[in-house]
Amino acid sequence: MYPSNPIQEALRPSQSVQVTLLDSQQVKLIFPMVKKERPLTLQIWTNQDPKNWHYFPLEQEKEHPDLTLNLKDFPPDSGPYTYRLQGPHGQILQSGTLLLPSTPDSKKNPQDLKPRTQFSSAKLDQGLLLFQLKPAPQSPAIHKANLRITQDQQNPKILPLTPERPDGLLQTLIDLNQDLSATPIQGQIEVTFANGQSQTYPLADYHIPLDKLEAQVQLQEEANTLHLELSRAQALEQIQVLLNNQTYSLTKISPALYQTSIQLPPTKKATIQIKALKQGQPQTIYHKTFQPAQTESKHTDLATTIEESSDHDFQPLYPAPTYPTGQCTWGVKRLVPWVGDWWGNGGQWATSAQALGFRTGPEPRIGAIACWDDGGYGHVALVTHVASPQAIQVKEANYNGQGAIRNYRGWFDPSQGLGHLTYIYPPGN
């Protein structure tokens, strides 16, 4: 009844199912003991991963139901498999185990399984470089993949790739505002396949298309001080800041990020310019004129007075090169020196802080960080005033898309509508 072919010997079925090897890629399962009733559903899963199910409908009108399986749909050497045949009302008609062989393609050279990869400049206007990966046509499913980047012999930067589409496409965004310079990107892809096999593939060096990268200027006024941040600056060969034609120096935070703070004249107009060389050509990339500071009104309400005095306590700005400019995480990092790098999105900050030993809790305190987790990106802000658990004020960035750091909301109830709220307390509190 069963040929002596070694592969078919490995498929010798139980008494309730017959197995026929059609070719090197396909196996037919026949269920001779099942009556002719429809529709039927076959469920197959590996004993090593019972949560990973395969569902197959059997709807054809035959005397005995059968099903043809493509062996490439199953990770090699991951059996035995458990199967269950169910009737139209969910009743179990048959169950047992199957051992599926490895396909010849599963023994391919690792280079034959190298994924297709590409860098895309589609998001360069945001200072982001998109990297995408797609599995090779005959490749097993990819369980996880990382992009490892090295520049100028620096410590490697590892970016996990996340699934984007059902066809297996994975991608990640490289933030050029942080620590990537204009030198070629040397990269590797670290891939772990669903069958447990791991492989590292080198990538060809990639040159950032600097002609498409536009620098971004962000200014923030506090009292008579002007804080200036210039990001996405890889394309600029020389940079000069002038206030009323007087030159000021910039501090280089990273190859793409520069900062400075300048005192504005209190009683006369101030004109600021940023000049640069780009591809050998001089350009004025920013120009703005500031009016003299207004004298304080005698009719200042209490809320404004409290905010101005409290804002003074949180005036210093600190480098935040590891967070995207203008985001809420960037805003809080600029205000709070004890915040770490790479705490993730705003909704992840409480968990990241707890893992590092910071105290967290439900009570608002001045100087604490409010962390809202809505199941998505979340949000963070620095608490500057507390009247009660239902009335606080904060300084924040990216509130309703506004990138500057300021008090946007006045007094508000933090427990309403922003997700689960946790406060991160400063060291020693």
Side-chain angles (χ1 to χ4, degrees):
M1 181 176 177
Y2 302 105
S4 58
N5 184 300
I7 296 181
Q8 290 203 359
E9 286 294 328
L11 293 171
R12 187 179 296 276
S14 66
Q15 295 180 354
S16 59
V17 60
Q18 295 179 0
V19 180
T20 301
L21 186 67
L22 300 181
D23 55 35
S24 63
Q25 301 292 336
Q26 294 183 314
V27 171
K28 177 177 282 189
L29 307 183
I30 304 175
F31 303 88
M33 307 282 293
V34 178
K35 295 180 180 180
K36 186 178 179 182
E37 60 179 310
R38 299 292 182 274
L40 302 178
T41 303
L42 178 67
Q43 303 172 1
I44 302 178
W45 65 95
T46 173
N47 294 349
Q48 300 173 5
D49 186 10
K51 295 182 179 179
N52 186 13
W53 290 54
H54 297 263
Y55 294 83
F56 301 96
L58 287 75
E59 300 178 351
Q60 61 268 48
E61 294 291 332
K62 295 182 179 180
E63 179 179 359
H64 301 297
D66 65 56
L67 175 70
T68 298
L69 298 181
N70 192 329
L71 293 176
K72 290 190 294 184
D73 294 335
F74 297 84
D77 304 321
S78 58
Y81 286 84
T82 299
Y83 79 91
R84 184 164 62 194
L85 189 67
Q86 291 186 324
H89 304 293
Q91 67 273 32
I92 299 176
L93 305 178
Q94 270 189 26
S95 62
T97 59
L98 291 171
L99 182 62
L100 300 179
S102 301
T103 66
D105 286 342
S106 67
K107 304 302 182 182
K108 280 188 174 183
N109 187 306
Q111 289 302 317
D112 296 335
L113 306 180
K114 181 179 180 179
R116 306 173 190 174
T117 59
Q118 69 171 2
F119 291 93
S120 171
S121 58
K123 294 182 177 290
L124 273 186
D125 60 332
Q126 305 171 36
L128 302 172
L129 189 63
L130 179 65
F131 177 81
Q132 294 179 314
L133 175 149
K134 190 172 183 179
Q138 305 300 323
S139 169
I142 292 179
H143 175 61
K144 66 178 181 180
N146 294 323
L147 171 63
R148 177 186 288 265
I149 295 175
T150 305
Q151 287 194 311
D152 292 337
Q153 307 302 317
Q154 298 176 2
N155 292 330
K157 185 181 184 66
I158 299 177
L159 301 175
L161 275 66
T162 56
E164 183 64 20
R165 297 202 305 249
D167 63 359
L169 179 72
L170 297 99
Q171 69 179 35
T172 189
L173 286 172
I174 304 170
D175 191 343
L176 300 178
N177 300 322
Q178 297 174 8
D179 57 358
L180 295 185
S181 66
T183 59
I185 295 177
Q186 296 97 38
Q188 290 180 324
I189 289 295
E190 302 168 338
V191 179
T192 301
F193 297 99
N195 61 7
Q197 178 184 359
S198 297
Q199 189 67 36
T200 299
Y201 300 98
L203 298 176
D205 291 353
Y206 177 78
H207 292 261
I208 302 172
L210 298 180
D211 58 321
K212 297 182 179 179
L213 187 63
E214 296 296 332
Q216 183 183 57
V217 178
Q218 185 164 9
L219 298 177
Q220 181 181 354
E221 284 187 82
E222 295 201 15
N224 291 327
T225 303
L226 183 66
H227 301 286
L228 183 149
E229 179 174 280
L230 180 63
S231 58
R232 309 176 196 173
Q234 292 98 325
L236 306 180
E237 301 166 25
Q238 295 180 20
I239 309 171
Q240 188 179 50
V241 177
L242 299 102
L243 178 65
N244 291 345
N245 294 319
Q246 181 178 348
T247 302
Y248 291 84
S249 60
L250 282 161
T251 300
K252 187 174 182 179
I253 306 301
S254 76
L257 183 64
Y258 296 79
Q259 293 175 346
T260 190
S261 294
I262 305 173
Q263 293 295 315
L264 286 171
T267 59
K268 63 179 182 179
K269 287 185 179 181
T271 299
I272 189 168
Q273 290 179 291
I274 301 177
K275 296 182 178 181
L277 282 179
K278 184 175 182 180
Q279 296 181 336
Q281 298 297 320
Q283 296 182 6
T284 298
I285 62 175
Y286 190 83
H287 183 281
K288 184 176 181 179
T289 299
F290 297 88
Q291 297 298 325
Q294 299 295 322
T295 56
E296 295 186 6
S297 171
K298 296 181 180 179
H299 304 288
T300 305
D301 58 35
L302 178 61
T304 302
T305 302
I306 293 176
E307 181 183 340
E308 288 180 354
S309 62
S310 180
D311 282 353
H312 181 74
D313 296 335
F314 298 95
Q315 191 175 14
L317 297 179
Y318 301 91
T322 60
Y323 297 99
T325 303
Q327 297 299 311
C328 62
T329 49
W330 167 87
V332 174
K333 173 64 176 173
R334 292 295 311 277
L335 295 169
V336 181
W338 48 267
V339 168
D341 295 334
W342 298 113
W343 280 10
N345 295 320
Q348 301 171 306
W349 272 34
T351 301
S352 298
Q354 288 172 350
L356 294 172
F358 289 92
R359 290 188 57 207
T360 61
E363 177 190 353
R365 301 175 188 172
I366 293 176
I369 298 171
C371 173
W372 290 275
D373 184 2
D374 59 1
Y377 290 110
H379 189 70
V380 288
L382 175 66
V383 179
T384 58
H385 306 77
V386 176
S388 72
Q390 286 72 45
I392 68 171
Q393 292 192 36
V394 299
K395 291 191 76 174
E396 59 194 325
N398 199 26
Y399 178 72
N400 285 340
Q402 301 296 314
I405 305 170
R406 61 170 62 102
N407 183 336
Y408 290 96
R409 294 186 269 182
W411 294 103
F412 72 101
D413 185 349
S415 64
Q416 297 300 313
L418 294 175
H420 179 71
L421 173 61
T422 304
Y423 293 97
I424 306 170
Y425 302 122
N429 287 2

